[in-house]
Amino acid sequence: GCTQKYIVKNYFYYYLFKFSAALGEEIFYITFLPFIYWNIDHSVSRRMIIIWSIVMYIGQVSKDLLKWPRPLSPPVVKLEMRADAEYGMPSTHAMAATSISFSFLIATMNQYKYPFELGLVAAFVFSTLVCLSRLYTGMHTVLDVIGGALISAVLLVLFYPAWDVIDRLLLTSPFSPLLSIVVPLVLCYNYPKLDYYSPTRGDTTTILGAGAGATVGFWLNNQYAMPAYTSENLQLGFPLITSKIVVVALARFFIGIFVVLLTRRLMKSVVLGLLGYRYKFPIGDLEARRRLEVEVPYKFITYSSVGFSATVLVPLLHELLGLM
């Protein structure tokens, strides 16, 4: 738990890679993925969330099965402490950056007219910056980063042919809401056990919970609001962006983020309060919140509510405010 002292000699690299590291964390997921859903294309957002959930689950589980340690400090200087309790191989930052950037490219290249080379360079630069940030911050070895990026690339290649089939089943099957909740919950409760506490199980539950809530929202929207395969999705189109569209997009974004963050805060308080009453512990008891019977339902319910709010409640609010 001791922070290693260091002196910053190049502030450009320091802030560049600190910022790049944040692109593989919750603050990025909770802003970028909903932004795509609210402002660009529902189908693109759905595919990104599906592949992101699968890739991150496999990456997190792989860490706790392989149990490869992170780089020793010293000689490296670690600029982050929370993730130091996790194992290193593969880098889930590298996996998330690769899956998000290249799934966005693949999902949009046949729907929008833009230079493919430009999209490829943007995806490569984004994923490279995140990968390099893990080396700069001392959290991963080169092998961890390369392994994470390669695993993510292989999973993208494997799942790409089935994207449309999976998407259609999740939107149209009457069993989709039940499976979207039950399967992730089973995976969370049967997460690999470690000899000591690691945030990987909680982070995995957060990701699967958000994906589950969003998937239920996708299904409800398809059933009762906007059928994905009979109506056009909201598409702004990259070449025709105007100042009015930018203002509307920003309004959607800030209103949506406010609702999402409010949902997270409220659900966190309510669920922790109920679990604290059930298992007789104060809400501030960190050790109690790390127990399986508390951590999994607390994070799953909280973040599934966030995913549901982002895909159902926020669009309804946008429509009421005349922002659709």
Side-chain angles (χ1 to χ4, degrees):
C2 297
T3 304
Q4 188 174 357
K5 294 182 179 180
Y6 56 87
I7 298 174
V8 179
K9 295 183 178 180
N10 190 314
Y11 282 95
F12 173 77
Y13 288 133
Y14 178 77
Y15 288 112
L16 173 66
F17 290 125
K18 289 285 282 185
F19 173 77
S20 300
L23 297 178
E25 296 174 358
E26 180 185 346
I27 185 64
F28 177 72
Y29 306 145
I30 209 170
T31 54
F32 180 74
L33 294 176
F35 179 87
I36 300 299
Y37 188 76
W38 299 329
N39 290 302
I40 296 181
D41 191 313
H42 290 179
S43 66
V44 172
S45 177
R46 290 196 305 269
R47 285 158 174 77
M48 290 177 68
I49 290 173
I50 290 169
I51 195 66
W52 168 69
S53 302
I54 294 172
V55 164
M56 290 300 288
Y57 174 76
I58 292 174
Q60 295 284 75
V61 169
S62 298
K63 280 186 178 185
D64 290 341
L65 291 178
L66 292 174
K67 299 183 179 180
W68 286 21
R70 290 183 181 269
L72 293 176
S73 176
V76 305
V77 177
K78 294 187 177 181
L79 305 187
E80 300 175 13
M81 295 308 300
R82 178 186 178 276
D84 196 37
E86 300 176 8
Y87 289 108
M89 177 64 159
S91 167
T92 46
H93 271 71
M95 295 183 71
T98 303
S99 64
I100 286 176
S101 58
F102 283 93
S103 63
F104 182 79
L105 172 67
I106 294 169
T108 58
M109 65 183 183
N110 293 325
Q111 296 193 46
Y112 297 98
K113 293 181 180 180
Y114 65 88
F116 174 75
E117 295 78 8
L118 179 63
L120 184 62
V121 169
F124 181 78
V125 169
F126 178 89
S127 56
T128 299
L129 281 175
V130 176
C131 290
L132 290 177
S133 74
R134 307 317 288 159
L135 303 178
Y136 182 88
T137 55
M139 302 312 297
H140 285 286
T141 65
V142 174
L143 187 59
D144 295 343
V145 170
I146 293 175
L150 287 178
I151 292 171
S152 189
V154 169
L155 290 172
L156 272 172
V157 171
L158 291 176
F159 280 100
Y160 174 68
W163 260 9
D164 290 338
V165 175
I166 295 172
D167 185 54
R168 186 180 288 271
L169 285 174
L170 290 177
L171 291 179
T172 60
S173 172
F175 302 105
S176 177
L178 179 63
L179 292 176
S180 297
I181 297 296
V182 171
V183 172
L185 265 178
V186 170
L187 293 176
C188 292
Y189 274 107
N190 290 277
Y191 191 83
K193 293 180 174 60
L194 297 176
D195 296 331
Y196 64 93
Y197 178 78
S198 167
T200 49
R201 184 183 65 202
D203 291 345
T204 304
T205 305
T206 294
I207 292 165
L208 294 184
T215 303
V216 173
F218 297 151
W219 184 87
L220 281 174
N221 288 336
N222 185 66
Q223 299 297 316
Y224 302 107
M226 183 185 293
Y229 292 101
T230 57
S231 301
E232 290 186 2
N233 286 326
L234 174 67
Q235 296 183 355
L236 297 179
F238 298 127
L240 302 175
I241 294 177
T242 65
S243 58
K244 181 180 179 180
I245 289 177
V246 171
V247 171
V248 172
L250 289 176
R252 288 189 192 127
F253 175 72
F254 286 114
I255 291 171
I257 287 300
F258 174 77
V259 173
V260 164
L261 295 179
L262 180 63
T263 301
R264 184 178 67 167
R265 185 174 184 86
L266 289 176
M267 292 305 299
K268 179 179 179 180
S269 299
V270 170
V271 176
L272 272 179
L274 292 174
L275 290 171
Y277 177 79
R278 168 68 177 81
Y279 293 107
K280 311 300 181 186
F281 67 87
I283 292 179
D285 188 342
L286 185 59
E287 289 301 317
R289 287 163 55 175
R290 290 174 170 178
R291 287 153 43 188
L292 174 68
E293 65 272 21
V294 174
E295 184 177 59
V296 170
Y298 147 54
K299 294 205 168 183
F300 192 88
I301 295 173
T302 298
Y303 284 90
S304 61
S305 300
V306 167
F308 184 83
S309 173
T311 54
V312 176
L313 300 183
V314 171
L316 286 175
L317 182 58
H318 287 165
E319 188 171 357
L320 288 173
L321 295 175
L323 295 173
M324 296 300 288

